[in-house]
Amino acid sequence: MIYFTYAGSSFISLKRTTLLTIIICLLINVAYGQDNQISIHSNTQISPADTGSILNMVRKADSLEIPAPDSAIYWYNLALRLSKEKNFIDGIGNCLQGLGSSYLNKGEWDKATSYFRAAIPYCRKAILFTDMSSTVYGNLGSISYFQGNYKRAALYFDSSLKEGARKGIDPENLYLATIRNNLAGVYLQLDQPQLALKYARKATAIARRKNYSTLLVHALSNQGGIYSKLNNDEQALTYLKESLNISRKNKLRDEELIALNILGDVMLKKEKPVEALAYLQEMGKLTPSPPYYLFIFQGYASGKAYFLLKDYGKAEAELERALAAAEMYNINDNKIEAHKDLSEVYAQSGNYKQAWQQRLIYENLKDSLLNREKARDINELEVRFRTSEKDKELAEKKLTIMHAETLNRKKTTWIWISSLSAIILALSVLLLRYRQKSKEIRQMQQKELELLRATMEGEETERIRVGKELHDGVSGFLSAIKMNLVTLRMQRHDITGSDAYTNALLLADEAADELRKTAHNLVPSLLAKSGLSEAIRGFCRRLSQPGGIQMQVRIMGMPQRLDPEKELAIYRIAQELLHNILKHAQATQVIVAISWLEEILMISIEDNGVGMLLQEQGDGLGMDNIAKRVKSIHGSIETDQGENGGTAIYLYFPLAGRA
């Protein structure tokens, strides 16, 4: 068993952020934000007082994330609202990340994932909190790990390391060292123990050099688990006992629990259930309520031990307890083996019905979860690892140069102090010129957006006109044709059995149905009646085909009514994206997730097609045009090309324009 920890909020301490640093970063952020807005548009310049208020609220929320996550959510939302009003990019990213961490501590992983994804574009552009983007990717990796999606976890952790290098963070920083330790756990789950050992050794070396005692215990425990996987039990026990001694010496309760749990696993592997139970029962003596993931692993291991001792009653109780906790917290790790072991326990107890049911669950989970992530594209992961190592070497060289430059700056500090007034004056002139240039660029962009809005309004007017003509004109003709055919049958009884007459009547019915569908797509009455979520659900229901493409719609949060023009624009964007998938992606399944968050509407569209991103099509919209339409209503769009096919598109819209 491998253990790791997820990251909470930013590792930069707000208490150590000086007012001078805030003001300098603030000047840069205001100039930067006016020309690089993501989805919140504002010309308001944030004052030092507002900055202090936001940071105080974030600091208070940080302290409440673990003991009182609901209170933390309240303070993060207050800070988020003020940050958006002032267009404070760092504040928005920090608050969205904090909301994700708070929901993660509550075990609400879907909400946590939505907030972390929404935070990414803001965190990548942050200036004051440079490590936020790395932290967000690390948290997404932790969620993927506990959900059993190990390949995606590896990609997220790798992105976390790359973001750290891009932002110039020390590669031996505690957080990045922890990410390496987490990668050891992921690669072991992907059946790559040698690669896992490489990451674990790197994390151990950094922890020893930097005296990171907590990380050292985790890394040593991971090495013990890896050597156990490699059937080197002697080496495994050496690392695990060192981990146990360090945790006891430093009074690290949770880390001691981890070492005891892995020692129990090693003893189970050696088929020594009595020794295993001794370690596992020591865990219960340390604390009445261990963390939920240790509670699950302890129960699973104890159930295995009692099974080996043929105490099937206790084995059943421990396995059921662990399985119930895993279901509650949606942790996929060990679920499959737990159902298999329960099947064997029930069989030994003579309860063959329950044994059969547990075996059936085991087989289904094995097909849907176990084989999905393990042993898939191992070579690609190895290439990604090598690329990550090269990126790390480049980052280390860059940091060496930066360190030398810092020493040089210290030697010439008095020159900068004497020249400060002249520099401020020069910066003021440059800032004025920059704002003038930015103003001209914004005016040009505004003209482009106005032209786009006019084009969209013209297209919508034409859709309504064509829809009414189809409904009132062509539909009437089809109805008349059908009535004449019915009248002809009454006058000419001899044609009732004619195949040509029957086909003509069927074709008239089918043409009328197709006409109604086309008119409905052109003029979506369900949008005005029931709102955006139900309109998209209805459109997907009409596109779904028996035996063909299947479209599922998932709605999270409380749907809201927006301005009619904005609702129609978002509906048309989603409609065009789905049409492109239907025409070009060769997909059999599409999942549309609509998440109504406190301040943001997020729509994700994922398919399992051939992986073709939207290109310019003769009869549709390319990605550039769709992106412009999204921007015209102050939204943002991201695309994710799957490595093995399929495309994921994420749309973000601020909810400032509610009805």
Side-chain angles (χ1 to χ4, degrees):
M1 190 62 57
I2 294 294
Y3 295 91
F4 62 92
T5 56
Y6 63 84
S9 295
S10 175
F11 269 76
I12 294 180
S13 172
L14 297 179
K15 296 179 181 179
R16 293 189 285 107
T17 304
T18 65
L19 181 60
L20 178 60
T21 303
I22 294 173
I23 294 174
I24 292 174
C25 292
L26 178 60
L27 290 173
I28 299 172
N29 202 39
V30 170
Y32 181 79
Q34 288 181 343
D35 199 43
N36 294 274
Q37 295 167 0
I38 298 174
S39 62
I40 306 298
H41 293 255
S42 172
N43 292 325
T44 305
Q45 293 189 13
I46 187 169
S47 66
D50 288 331
T51 305
S53 297
I54 292 171
L55 296 182
N56 282 333
M57 285 188 281
V58 170
R59 182 164 48 200
K60 185 175 183 66
D62 281 345
S63 66
L64 294 171
E65 271 188 18
I66 295 177
D70 288 325
S71 298
I73 290 170
Y74 169 81
W75 285 105
Y76 277 131
N77 277 320
L78 286 181
L80 178 62
R81 191 172 295 111
L82 181 57
S83 296
K84 287 185 175 180
E85 290 175 1
K86 304 301 181 181
N87 195 31
F88 184 23
I89 300 298
D90 285 73
I92 296 172
N94 206 327
C95 292
L96 289 172
Q97 179 195 224
L99 285 166
S101 297
S102 299
Y103 281 111
L104 186 58
N105 288 327
K106 291 182 66 177
E108 298 182 25
W109 291 354
D110 288 340
K111 279 191 174 182
T113 299
S114 297
Y115 276 110
F116 285 138
R117 284 180 175 171
I120 288 174
Y122 295 97
C123 292
R124 285 180 61 84
K125 292 194 175 187
I127 297 175
L128 183 58
F129 303 111
T130 56
D131 66 338
M132 286 197 301
S133 55
S134 179
T135 303
V136 168
Y137 281 117
N139 282 330
L140 286 169
S142 298
I143 293 174
S144 298
Y145 181 93
F146 282 116
Q147 289 179 328
N149 195 335
Y150 304 118
K151 183 177 179 181
R152 179 165 290 183
L155 294 176
Y156 277 133
F157 286 137
D158 186 61
S159 296
S160 178
L161 291 178
K162 289 182 177 179
E163 280 297 301
R166 187 177 72 87
K167 292 284 188 166
I169 300 173
D170 182 1
E172 293 197 354
N173 162 284
L174 174 59
Y175 175 71
L176 294 182
T178 301
I179 291 296
R180 287 185 171 84
N181 186 55
N182 292 354
L183 275 168
V186 171
Y187 282 116
L188 186 62
Q189 294 294 347
L190 289 169
D191 290 330
Q192 295 189 75
Q194 293 296 342
L195 188 55
L197 187 59
K198 188 170 185 177
Y199 276 106
R201 284 173 173 170
K202 182 67 175 177
T204 302
I206 294 173
R208 291 191 192 278
R209 281 197 300 270
K210 297 291 187 176
N211 197 25
Y212 298 148
S213 57
T214 301
L215 175 61
L216 179 59
V217 172
H218 280 274
L220 290 171
S221 295
N222 277 355
Q223 285 199 68
I226 294 168
Y227 278 113
S228 177
K229 180 77 172 181
L230 294 170
N231 296 318
N232 190 339
D233 293 335
E234 182 178 353
Q235 193 77 350
L237 290 173
T238 299
Y239 282 104
L240 290 171
K241 288 180 179 178
E242 183 183 0
S243 172
L244 185 61
N245 291 335
I246 295 174
S247 61
R248 285 174 172 172
K249 179 180 178 181
N250 292 277
K251 298 182 179 179
L252 302 174
R253 186 201 64 178
D254 290 348
E255 284 65 34
E256 183 178 354
L257 290 169
I258 289 172
L260 288 169
N261 197 191
I262 301 181
L263 280 165
D265 282 339
V266 172
M267 290 302 165
L268 282 176
K269 183 181 176 183
K270 298 177 70 173
E271 295 188 355
K272 294 183 177 181
V274 176
E275 290 84 347
L277 280 174
Y279 286 120
L280 296 172
Q281 288 169 357
E282 277 191 63
M283 294 176 64
K285 297 176 183 178
L286 288 175
T287 172
S289 55
Y292 63 84
Y293 57 89
L294 295 178
F295 183 87
I296 295 168
F297 298 154
Q298 179 198 26
Y300 174 73
S302 298
K304 294 274 290 186
Y306 282 120
F307 179 81
L308 291 175
L309 291 171
K310 298 184 179 181
D311 191 342
Y312 303 123
K314 289 184 179 180
E316 177 186 344
E318 291 293 333
L319 289 170
E320 289 283 4
R321 174 172 67 90
L323 190 57
E327 294 287 350
M328 178 183 300
Y329 293 103
N330 195 27
I331 296 180
N332 292 325
D333 197 15
N334 291 125
K335 275 188 186 179
I336 297 174
E337 291 301 318
H339 284 293
K340 180 183 177 182
D341 291 342
L342 273 172
S343 174
E344 294 176 0
V345 168
Y346 284 127
Q348 292 293 335
S349 302
N351 191 342
Y352 299 110
K353 180 179 180 181
Q354 286 283 0
W356 176 80
Q357 290 176 347
Q358 291 296 325
R359 186 71 186 187
L360 186 61
I361 296 172
Y362 161 74
E363 294 293 343
N364 290 335
L365 285 176
K366 184 178 178 182
D367 291 338
S368 63
L369 296 176
L370 189 62
N371 294 333
R372 184 179 61 186
E373 292 302 325
K374 290 188 176 181
R376 184 191 297 170
D377 298 329
I378 299 300
N379 292 332
E380 287 186 13
L381 290 171
E382 177 64 25
V383 170
R384 184 173 294 276
F385 161 74
R386 292 175 181 172
T387 303
S388 175
E389 288 297 298
K390 291 180 181 178
D391 291 342
K392 180 206 66 174
E393 291 175 5
L394 291 174
E396 289 176 348
K397 292 179 181 178
K398 180 180 177 182
L399 286 171
T400 302
I401 296 172
M402 291 175 63
H403 181 65
E405 291 175 349
T406 300
L407 292 177
N408 186 56
R409 282 197 299 270
K410 288 181 179 180
K411 295 177 182 178
T412 58
T413 300
W414 65 273
I415 298 175
W416 288 103
I417 294 174
S418 62
S419 306
L420 183 60
S421 298
I423 292 173
I424 292 175
L425 180 61
L427 285 175
S428 299
V429 173
L430 289 174
L431 185 60
L432 287 174
R433 291 180 180 177
Y434 177 82
R435 288 181 175 175
Q436 180 63 30
K437 184 178 180 181
S438 298
K439 182 179 179 181
E440 293 173 359
I441 294 174
R442 288 196 302 275
Q443 288 175 347
M444 185 181 300
Q445 292 175 342
Q446 185 63 31
K447 289 181 181 179
E448 292 178 357
L449 289 177
E450 289 175 358
L451 179 61
L452 177 61
R453 291 193 185 100
T455 303
M456 291 167 61
E457 290 175 1
E459 290 176 353
E460 200 59 44
T461 301
E462 184 65 12
R463 282 193 182 97
I464 294 172
R465 185 188 67 78
V466 172
K468 287 184 177 180
E469 287 183 4
L470 289 175
H471 185 272
D472 299 335
V474 180
S475 180
F477 283 122
L478 285 173
S479 298
I481 291 171
K482 185 176 178 181
M483 290 177 62
N484 285 331
L485 288 172
V486 173
T487 302
L488 181 62
R489 182 177 60 189
M490 295 173 63
Q491 294 174 352
R492 294 282 305 275
H493 297 289
D494 57 315
I495 67 170
T496 302
S498 170
D499 291 340
Y501 175 83
T502 302
N503 289 335
L505 197 59
L506 289 174
L507 287 172
D509 285 335
E510 291 177 0
D513 289 340
E514 289 298 321
L515 186 64
R516 279 194 296 272
K517 291 179 181 178
T518 303
H520 185 83
N521 288 337
L522 290 170
V523 186
S525 58
L526 186 61
L527 180 64
K529 180 180 179 182
S530 302
L532 182 62
S533 296
E534 291 303 319
I536 294 177
R537 190 201 298 272
F539 181 71
C540 290
R541 188 182 301 116
R542 291 193 299 275
L543 288 185
S544 295
Q545 303 167 1
I549 190 168
Q550 297 296 314
M551 295 193 177
Q552 301 178 18
V553 178
R554 300 172 182 171
I555 301 173
M556 293 179 287
M558 184 65 68
Q560 305 170 21
R561 294 311 302 262
L562 309 178
D563 291 336
E565 292 182 358
K566 189 171 184 178
E567 281 190 337
L568 184 58
I570 296 173
Y571 176 79
R572 291 300 185 198
I573 291 167
Q575 187 181 45
E576 188 61 31
L577 289 170
L578 291 168
H579 268 307
N580 273 283
I581 292 172
L582 188 64
K583 293 177 183 178
H584 308 293
Q586 301 177 26
T588 60
Q589 186 175 18
V590 178
I591 297 177
V592 180
I594 306 173
S595 302
W596 295 89
L597 307 177
E598 281 81 353
E599 301 291 339
I600 293 176
L601 167 62
M602 186 180 80
I603 301 176
S604 65
I605 302 175
E606 300 183 42
D607 68 74
N608 65 344
V610 296
M612 180 185 68
L613 287 174
L614 296 177
Q615 303 294 333
E616 293 292 341
Q617 305 293 341
D619 58 350
L621 294 177
M623 179 56 74
D624 289 341
N625 282 335
I626 290 178
K628 289 178 181 178
R629 291 188 173 224
V630 172
K631 186 178 180 180
S632 71
I633 52 176
H634 308 323
S636 63
I637 183 170
E638 293 179 10
T639 59
D640 184 10
Q641 182 73 53
E643 295 183 1
N644 296 313
T647 303
I649 301 172
Y650 303 98
L651 301 167
Y652 306 91
F653 301 99
L655 295 180
R658 301 175 188 175

